[in-house]
């Protein structure tokens, strides 16, 4: 796997979480991380794409004419609710000390079941690679609806820029998938940078919605 072996208790549960330290709540960490990325990549989207874009301004005027800015803001509301559910999962995962790619913990039932450990995913060898590659596909699927929605909405106003962003996002997620197949830690950089690209696309959607409402 290319990573240190995880220490577990007698039932097979890791003895330590791999999430941020206990000194501050996980939702606070997650919220700050997202706010920082929005503060960085939203303005980048404005300065590189939105500013002085006459074709984009004309499309925003169309959104204003038909009150479609509220649809754009609604897409962001969906993202926020998904984010809050992710925080809820993070709190539970941290308390349970379950590491990715595990998403559930199973227990053997029956008369002899109590003598056995919990059932988690195999992490070693070809079976471990299979489990992680399966999980990385699910990671993609879990965010695909939001990504497609952002691409469709952002692409109406800024088609060329949205194509570039979604292409870059896809390549980076593929790189992340290859890294995740090798080890759970290997997903990190591709996933992080693809998230930054998605924040730029999100910025296009939010700015289009707000600007059209204010017209």
């Amino acid at each position: 796997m290319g990573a240190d072996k995880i220490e577990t208790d007698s039932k097979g549960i890791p003895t330590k979480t791999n999430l941020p330290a206990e000194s501050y709540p996980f939702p606070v960490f997650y919220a700050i991380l997202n706010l920082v990325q929005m503060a960085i990549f939203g303005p980048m989207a404005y300065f590189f794409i939105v500013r002085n874009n006459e074709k984009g301004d004309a499309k925003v005027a169309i959104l204003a004419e038909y009150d479609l800015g509220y649809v754009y803001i609604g897409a962001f509301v969906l993202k926020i609710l998904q984010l809050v559910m992710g925080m809820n999962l993070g709190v539970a995962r941290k308390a349970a000390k379950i590491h990715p790619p595990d998403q559930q913990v199973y227990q053997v039932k029956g008369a002899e079941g109590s003598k056995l450990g919990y059932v988690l995913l195999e992490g070693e060898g070809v079976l471990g690679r299979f489990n992680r590659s399966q999980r990385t596909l699910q990671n993609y699927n879990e965010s695909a609806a939001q990504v497609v929605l952002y691409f469709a909405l952002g692409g109406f106003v800024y088609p060329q820029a949205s194509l570039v962003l979604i292409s870059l996002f896809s390549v980076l997620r593929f790189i992340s998938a290859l890294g995740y197949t090798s080890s759970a830690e290997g997903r990190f950089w591709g996933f992080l940078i693809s998230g930054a690209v998605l924040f730029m696309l999100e910025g296009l959607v939010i700015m289009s919605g707000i600007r059209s409402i204010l017209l």
Side-chain angles (χ1 to χ4, degrees), residues 96-137:
K97 300 189 289 289
I98 300 301
H99 296 205
D102 284 293
Q103 302 302 306
Q104 287 86 29
V105 179
Y106 298 94
Q107 184 180 40
V108 179
K109 299 296 184 180
E112 300 297 317
S114 60
K115 299 179 181 179
L116 303 175
Y118 292 104
V119 180
L120 298 172
L121 294 176
E122 172 62 73
E124 304 291 338
V126 294
L127 296 181
R129 290 178 63 86
F130 166 76
N131 284 331
R132 289 187 299 278
S133 64
Q134 179 78 349
R135 178 58 197 151
T136 196
L137 178 60

Side-chain angles (χ1 to χ4, degrees), residues 20 30 58 67 102 141 145:
Y30 209 45
D67 289 330
D102 284 293
N141 290 340

Side-chain angles (χ1 to χ4, degrees), residues 72 101 127 149:
Y72 279 61
L127 296 181
L149 180 59

